[in-house]
Amino acid sequence: DTGVSQNPRHKITKRGQNVTFRCDPISEHNRLYWYRQTLGQGPEFLTYFQNEAQLEKSRLLSDRFSAERPKGSFSTLEIQRTEQGDSAMYLCASSPEAQGGSSYEQYFGPGTRLTVT
Amino acid sequence: EDQVTQSPEALRLQEGESSSLNCSYTVSGLRGLFWYRQDPGKGPEFLFTLYSAGEEKEKERLKATLTKKESFLHITAPKPEDSATYLCAVRYNTDKLIFGTGTRLQVFP
């Protein structure tokens, strides 16, 4: 078990460019989550998938942001027309599907640090 | 409104000096409270899940407890390697986690 992996680990881009991040969850986990974290803050929820279905999106996820999980395995998060305010750590997490009201813990990847210049 | 509040924001301890971190929450219908450890530049590392008031979990020098309004992370005889940011998160009406801003712990030898 290799855990959650994210690529790239670091991305520097110029304002106005598009960027795409990839997340590979733990293989037996069917839920996948994206969070954003800025310095000194806790992670903020962006969106999550159960298999290929996107079940919830945060109001933080403007129309410049789009996430996909086409085959229920890896996921991509794309940011179009990046702005300096998009600079943050983008975290991916995965968990098994919760059953009977129980809540399974989410396991996080190492994150992708985005810097928009 | 703040749904998860952690205190203190920062804590400096001498090695061996036990202390507690606090996480208070205002959500109703709690479906899980989670503690994570985060080292600089890394993703959060899962520590504990607590589901109901009175529940306790332990791992090495860490012990987490839960009441109806707050959770404590007790650190007994900490070592320098326990230095990190400790994050608390809650789950209530959906599967997303709502995080606090964390407590930055520094343990000095």
mmCIF file of all heavy atoms in Angstrom, chain B residues 68-100:
data_model
loop_
_atom_site.group_PDB
_atom_site.id
_atom_site.type_symbol
_atom_site.label_atom_id
_atom_site.label_comp_id
_atom_site.label_asym_id
_atom_site.label_seq_id
_atom_site.Cartn_x
_atom_site.Cartn_y
_atom_site.Cartn_z
ATOM 1 N N LYS B 68 -19.520 16.660 24.777
ATOM 2 C CA LYS B 68 -20.566 17.079 23.847
ATOM 3 C C LYS B 68 -20.221 18.383 23.129
ATOM 4 O O LYS B 68 -20.839 18.705 22.113
ATOM 5 C CB LYS B 68 -21.892 17.226 24.588
ATOM 6 C CG LYS B 68 -22.501 15.888 24.960
ATOM 7 C CD LYS B 68 -23.892 16.051 25.550
ATOM 8 C CE LYS B 68 -24.495 14.693 25.851
ATOM 9 N NZ LYS B 68 -25.864 14.805 26.431
ATOM 10 N N LYS B 69 -19.246 19.120 23.639
ATOM 11 C CA LYS B 69 -18.936 20.413 23.031
ATOM 12 C C LYS B 69 -17.474 20.578 22.659
ATOM 13 O O LYS B 69 -17.116 21.535 21.975
ATOM 14 C CB LYS B 69 -19.339 21.551 23.968
ATOM 15 C CG LYS B 69 -20.836 21.704 24.155
ATOM 16 C CD LYS B 69 -21.142 22.990 24.886
ATOM 17 C CE LYS B 69 -22.628 23.179 25.103
ATOM 18 N NZ LYS B 69 -23.343 23.319 23.834
ATOM 19 N N GLU B 70 -16.602 19.658 23.111
ATOM 20 C CA GLU B 70 -15.193 19.846 22.849
ATOM 21 C C GLU B 70 -14.427 18.535 22.932
ATOM 22 O O GLU B 70 -14.920 17.535 23.455
ATOM 23 C CB GLU B 70 -14.591 20.881 23.807
ATOM 24 C CG GLU B 70 -14.708 20.534 25.270
ATOM 25 C CD GLU B 70 -14.337 21.684 26.187
ATOM 26 O OE1 GLU B 70 -13.791 22.713 25.718
ATOM 27 O OE2 GLU B 70 -14.581 21.569 27.399
ATOM 28 N N SER B 71 -13.213 18.612 22.416
ATOM 29 C CA SER B 71 -12.300 17.481 22.484
ATOM 30 C C SER B 71 -10.954 17.996 22.979
ATOM 31 O O SER B 71 -10.592 19.157 22.738
ATOM 32 C CB SER B 71 -12.136 16.841 21.103
ATOM 33 O OG SER B 71 -11.182 15.788 21.146
ATOM 34 N N PHE B 72 -10.254 17.131 23.676
ATOM 35 C CA PHE B 72 -8.919 17.461 24.149
ATOM 36 C C PHE B 72 -7.930 16.445 23.592
ATOM 37 O O PHE B 72 -8.231 15.255 23.495
ATOM 38 C CB PHE B 72 -8.860 17.439 25.680
ATOM 39 C CG PHE B 72 -9.637 18.546 26.333
ATOM 40 C CD1 PHE B 72 -10.955 18.339 26.727
ATOM 41 C CD2 PHE B 72 -9.073 19.790 26.544
ATOM 42 C CE1 PHE B 72 -11.686 19.360 27.326
ATOM 43 C CE2 PHE B 72 -9.790 20.812 27.137
ATOM 44 C CZ PHE B 72 -11.102 20.597 27.522
ATOM 45 N N LEU B 73 -6.754 16.961 23.258
ATOM 46 C CA LEU B 73 -5.636 16.087 22.898
ATOM 47 C C LEU B 73 -4.587 16.279 23.983
ATOM 48 O O LEU B 73 -3.977 17.345 24.090
ATOM 49 C CB LEU B 73 -5.084 16.442 21.524
ATOM 50 C CG LEU B 73 -3.974 15.525 20.997
ATOM 51 C CD1 LEU B 73 -4.511 14.109 20.760
ATOM 52 C CD2 LEU B 73 -3.373 16.073 19.712
ATOM 53 N N HIS B 74 -4.437 15.256 24.804
ATOM 54 C CA HIS B 74 -3.491 15.318 25.908
ATOM 55 C C HIS B 74 -2.153 14.749 25.432
ATOM 56 O O HIS B 74 -2.109 13.660 24.835
ATOM 57 C CB HIS B 74 -4.010 14.505 27.098
ATOM 58 C CG HIS B 74 -5.391 14.869 27.535
ATOM 59 N ND1 HIS B 74 -5.667 15.953 28.349
ATOM 60 C CD2 HIS B 74 -6.593 14.301 27.242
ATOM 61 C CE1 HIS B 74 -6.975 16.028 28.564
ATOM 62 N NE2 HIS B 74 -7.558 15.048 27.901
ATOM 63 N N ILE B 75 -1.089 15.488 25.737
ATOM 64 C CA ILE B 75 0.247 15.034 25.371
ATOM 65 C C ILE B 75 1.036 14.825 26.659
ATOM 66 O O ILE B 75 1.272 15.780 27.411
ATOM 67 C CB ILE B 75 0.953 16.060 24.469
ATOM 68 C CG1 ILE B 75 0.103 16.327 23.228
ATOM 69 C CG2 ILE B 75 2.329 15.560 24.078
ATOM 70 C CD1 ILE B 75 0.659 17.380 22.315
ATOM 71 N N THR B 76 1.421 13.563 26.887
ATOM 72 C CA THR B 76 2.112 13.207 28.126
ATOM 73 C C THR B 76 3.608 13.071 27.863
ATOM 74 O O THR B 76 4.007 12.367 26.936
ATOM 75 C CB THR B 76 1.565 11.889 28.680
ATOM 76 O OG1 THR B 76 0.155 12.041 28.905
ATOM 77 C CG2 THR B 76 2.253 11.521 29.989
ATOM 78 N N ALA B 77 4.398 13.778 28.666
ATOM 79 C CA ALA B 77 5.862 13.723 28.561
ATOM 80 C C ALA B 77 6.321 13.858 27.108
ATOM 81 O O ALA B 77 6.955 12.938 26.551
ATOM 82 C CB ALA B 77 6.393 12.442 29.177
ATOM 83 N N PRO B 78 5.988 14.977 26.450
ATOM 84 C CA PRO B 78 6.318 15.122 25.027
ATOM 85 C C PRO B 78 7.815 15.133 24.761
ATOM 86 O O PRO B 78 8.635 15.498 25.623
ATOM 87 C CB PRO B 78 5.687 16.471 24.665
ATOM 88 C CG PRO B 78 5.654 17.227 25.945
ATOM 89 C CD PRO B 78 5.380 16.201 26.998
ATOM 90 N N LYS B 79 8.153 14.736 23.527
ATOM 91 C CA LYS B 79 9.526 14.743 23.037
ATOM 92 C C LYS B 79 9.622 15.738 21.881
ATOM 93 O O LYS B 79 8.602 16.072 21.266
ATOM 94 C CB LYS B 79 9.928 13.351 22.591
ATOM 95 C CG LYS B 79 9.891 12.305 23.703
ATOM 96 C CD LYS B 79 10.354 10.959 23.191
ATOM 97 C CE LYS B 79 10.376 9.932 24.333
ATOM 98 N NZ LYS B 79 10.864 8.603 23.861
ATOM 99 N N PRO B 80 10.830 16.177 21.543
ATOM 100 C CA PRO B 80 10.973 17.121 20.425
ATOM 101 C C PRO B 80 10.331 16.630 19.131
ATOM 102 O O PRO B 80 9.812 17.448 18.357
ATOM 103 C CB PRO B 80 12.495 17.254 20.294
ATOM 104 C CG PRO B 80 13.000 17.042 21.684
ATOM 105 C CD PRO B 80 12.099 15.986 22.266
ATOM 106 N N GLU B 81 10.316 15.330 18.892
ATOM 107 C CA GLU B 81 9.720 14.811 17.668
ATOM 108 C C GLU B 81 8.198 14.933 17.644
ATOM 109 O O GLU B 81 7.575 14.671 16.611
ATOM 110 C CB GLU B 81 10.135 13.350 17.426
ATOM 111 C CG GLU B 81 9.871 12.411 18.570
ATOM 112 C CD GLU B 81 11.110 12.179 19.421
ATOM 113 O OE1 GLU B 81 11.856 13.157 19.689
ATOM 114 O OE2 GLU B 81 11.317 11.023 19.826
ATOM 115 N N ASP B 82 7.590 15.317 18.750
ATOM 116 C CA ASP B 82 6.153 15.588 18.772
ATOM 117 C C ASP B 82 5.830 16.985 18.244
ATOM 118 O O ASP B 82 4.659 17.343 18.088
ATOM 119 C CB ASP B 82 5.602 15.446 20.194
ATOM 120 C CG ASP B 82 5.680 14.026 20.708
ATOM 121 O OD1 ASP B 82 5.463 13.084 19.912
ATOM 122 O OD2 ASP B 82 5.976 13.836 21.905
ATOM 123 N N SER B 83 6.848 17.774 17.976
ATOM 124 C CA SER B 83 6.637 19.129 17.440
ATOM 125 C C SER B 83 5.963 19.037 16.072
ATOM 126 O O SER B 83 6.447 18.338 15.173
ATOM 127 C CB SER B 83 7.968 19.867 17.320
ATOM 128 O OG SER B 83 8.569 20.028 18.582
ATOM 129 N N ALA B 84 4.846 19.724 15.925
ATOM 130 C CA ALA B 84 4.058 19.698 14.693
ATOM 131 C C ALA B 84 2.845 20.599 14.907
ATOM 132 O O ALA B 84 2.642 21.137 15.990
ATOM 133 C CB ALA B 84 3.586 18.286 14.360
ATOM 134 N N THR B 85 2.035 20.736 13.867
ATOM 135 C CA THR B 85 0.724 21.371 14.016
ATOM 136 C C THR B 85 -0.310 20.267 14.169
ATOM 137 O O THR B 85 -0.334 19.311 13.392
ATOM 138 C CB THR B 85 0.390 22.254 12.805
ATOM 139 O OG1 THR B 85 1.309 23.349 12.754
ATOM 140 C CG2 THR B 85 -1.030 22.803 12.908
ATOM 141 N N TYR B 86 -1.151 20.407 15.171
ATOM 142 C CA TYR B 86 -2.203 19.420 15.428
ATOM 143 C C TYR B 86 -3.544 20.030 15.005
ATOM 144 O O TYR B 86 -3.936 21.093 15.485
ATOM 145 C CB TYR B 86 -2.204 19.001 16.890
ATOM 146 C CG TYR B 86 -0.984 18.171 17.214
ATOM 147 C CD1 TYR B 86 0.230 18.773 17.543
ATOM 148 C CD2 TYR B 86 -1.018 16.772 17.121
ATOM 149 C CE1 TYR B 86 1.360 18.018 17.787
ATOM 150 C CE2 TYR B 86 0.117 16.009 17.375
ATOM 151 C CZ TYR B 86 1.303 16.646 17.699
ATOM 152 O OH TYR B 86 2.434 15.890 17.931
ATOM 153 N N LEU B 87 -4.205 19.335 14.094
ATOM 154 C CA LEU B 87 -5.456 19.801 13.513
ATOM 155 C C LEU B 87 -6.621 18.967 14.017
ATOM 156 O O LEU B 87 -6.526 17.740 14.122
ATOM 157 C CB LEU B 87 -5.410 19.686 11.982
ATOM 158 C CG LEU B 87 -4.399 20.570 11.250
ATOM 159 C CD1 LEU B 87 -4.199 20.067 9.827
ATOM 160 C CD2 LEU B 87 -4.872 22.012 11.238
ATOM 161 N N CYS B 88 -7.712 19.638 14.286
ATOM 162 C CA CYS B 88 -8.955 19.003 14.669
ATOM 163 C C CYS B 88 -9.961 19.231 13.541
ATOM 164 O O CYS B 88 -9.967 20.304 12.914
ATOM 165 C CB CYS B 88 -9.443 19.637 15.972
ATOM 166 S SG CYS B 88 -11.120 19.259 16.453
ATOM 167 N N ALA B 89 -10.792 18.255 13.256
ATOM 168 C CA ALA B 89 -11.809 18.401 12.211
ATOM 169 C C ALA B 89 -13.079 17.679 12.643
ATOM 170 O O ALA B 89 -13.021 16.693 13.375
ATOM 171 C CB ALA B 89 -11.303 17.825 10.883
ATOM 172 N N VAL B 90 -14.222 18.173 12.166
ATOM 173 C CA VAL B 90 -15.493 17.530 12.477
ATOM 174 C C VAL B 90 -16.226 17.180 11.199
ATOM 175 O O VAL B 90 -16.048 17.813 10.150
ATOM 176 C CB VAL B 90 -16.398 18.410 13.371
ATOM 177 C CG1 VAL B 90 -15.713 18.711 14.686
ATOM 178 C CG2 VAL B 90 -16.802 19.688 12.665
ATOM 179 N N ARG B 91 -17.057 16.157 11.287
ATOM 180 C CA ARG B 91 -17.956 15.762 10.210
ATOM 181 C C ARG B 91 -19.351 15.751 10.796
ATOM 182 O O ARG B 91 -19.559 15.151 11.857
ATOM 183 C CB ARG B 91 -17.575 14.382 9.691
ATOM 184 C CG ARG B 91 -18.537 13.796 8.678
ATOM 185 C CD ARG B 91 -18.026 12.444 8.187
ATOM 186 N NE ARG B 91 -18.952 11.845 7.240
ATOM 187 C CZ ARG B 91 -19.781 10.850 7.518
ATOM 188 N NH1 ARG B 91 -19.799 10.329 8.723
ATOM 189 N NH2 ARG B 91 -20.590 10.367 6.597
ATOM 190 N N TYR B 92 -20.322 16.424 10.085
ATOM 191 C CA TYR B 92 -21.656 16.356 10.657
ATOM 192 C C TYR B 92 -22.743 16.026 9.640
ATOM 193 O O TYR B 92 -23.307 14.957 9.686
ATOM 194 C CB TYR B 92 -22.008 17.605 11.471
ATOM 195 C CG TYR B 92 -22.046 18.912 10.720
ATOM 196 C CD1 TYR B 92 -23.244 19.536 10.443
ATOM 197 C CD2 TYR B 92 -20.876 19.542 10.322
ATOM 198 C CE1 TYR B 92 -23.290 20.741 9.773
ATOM 199 C CE2 TYR B 92 -20.917 20.745 9.644
ATOM 200 C CZ TYR B 92 -22.128 21.340 9.374
ATOM 201 O OH TYR B 92 -22.175 22.533 8.705
ATOM 202 N N ASN B 93 -22.984 16.865 8.650
ATOM 203 C CA ASN B 93 -24.133 16.545 7.786
ATOM 204 C C ASN B 93 -23.751 15.931 6.432
ATOM 205 O O ASN B 93 -24.591 15.373 5.755
ATOM 206 C CB ASN B 93 -24.998 17.785 7.568
ATOM 207 C CG ASN B 93 -24.223 18.895 6.870
ATOM 208 O OD1 ASN B 93 -23.011 18.810 6.716
ATOM 209 N ND2 ASN B 93 -24.930 19.928 6.437
ATOM 210 N N THR B 94 -22.494 16.040 6.051
ATOM 211 C CA THR B 94 -22.034 15.386 4.816
ATOM 212 C C THR B 94 -20.695 14.730 5.139
ATOM 213 O O THR B 94 -20.283 14.692 6.291
ATOM 214 C CB THR B 94 -21.853 16.384 3.663
ATOM 215 O OG1 THR B 94 -20.710 17.218 3.926
ATOM 216 C CG2 THR B 94 -23.072 17.263 3.476
ATOM 217 N N ASP B 95 -20.025 14.230 4.131
ATOM 218 C CA ASP B 95 -18.747 13.563 4.382
ATOM 219 C C ASP B 95 -17.551 14.489 4.407
ATOM 220 O O ASP B 95 -16.437 14.048 4.654
ATOM 221 C CB ASP B 95 -18.526 12.468 3.344
ATOM 222 C CG ASP B 95 -19.364 11.245 3.649
ATOM 223 O OD1 ASP B 95 -19.604 10.974 4.837
ATOM 224 O OD2 ASP B 95 -19.782 10.564 2.702
ATOM 225 N N LYS B 96 -17.764 15.775 4.127
ATOM 226 C CA LYS B 96 -16.634 16.690 4.166
ATOM 227 C C LYS B 96 -16.212 16.919 5.606
ATOM 228 O O LYS B 96 -17.008 16.804 6.543
ATOM 229 C CB LYS B 96 -17.004 18.023 3.516
ATOM 230 C CG LYS B 96 -18.006 18.840 4.307
ATOM 231 C CD LYS B 96 -18.400 20.095 3.566
ATOM 232 C CE LYS B 96 -19.414 20.892 4.356
ATOM 233 N NZ LYS B 96 -19.984 22.007 3.562
ATOM 234 N N LEU B 97 -14.924 17.237 5.782
ATOM 235 C CA LEU B 97 -14.395 17.584 7.089
ATOM 236 C C LEU B 97 -14.282 19.099 7.198
ATOM 237 O O LEU B 97 -13.891 19.770 6.246
ATOM 238 C CB LEU B 97 -13.019 16.948 7.291
ATOM 239 C CG LEU B 97 -12.978 15.426 7.356
ATOM 240 C CD1 LEU B 97 -11.551 14.940 7.597
ATOM 241 C CD2 LEU B 97 -13.912 14.902 8.429
ATOM 242 N N ILE B 98 -14.639 19.618 8.367
ATOM 243 C CA ILE B 98 -14.473 21.040 8.664
ATOM 244 C C ILE B 98 -13.346 21.142 9.690
ATOM 245 O O ILE B 98 -13.478 20.613 10.804
ATOM 246 C CB ILE B 98 -15.760 21.649 9.213
ATOM 247 C CG1 ILE B 98 -16.884 21.484 8.185
ATOM 248 C CG2 ILE B 98 -15.558 23.124 9.555
ATOM 249 C CD1 ILE B 98 -18.236 21.859 8.702
ATOM 250 N N PHE B 99 -12.277 21.805 9.292
ATOM 251 C CA PHE B 99 -11.074 21.863 10.114
ATOM 252 C C PHE B 99 -11.014 23.142 10.930
ATOM 253 O O PHE B 99 -11.498 24.210 10.506
ATOM 254 C CB PHE B 99 -9.819 21.810 9.227
ATOM 255 C CG PHE B 99 -9.462 20.444 8.745
ATOM 256 C CD1 PHE B 99 -10.033 19.927 7.593
ATOM 257 C CD2 PHE B 99 -8.536 19.673 9.438
ATOM 258 C CE1 PHE B 99 -9.706 18.662 7.133
ATOM 259 C CE2 PHE B 99 -8.190 18.410 8.982
ATOM 260 C CZ PHE B 99 -8.782 17.908 7.832
ATOM 261 N N GLY B 100 -10.354 23.050 12.087
ATOM 262 C CA GLY B 100 -9.922 24.228 12.808
ATOM 263 C C GLY B 100 -8.612 24.728 12.221
ATOM 264 O O GLY B 100 -8.074 24.142 11.269
#
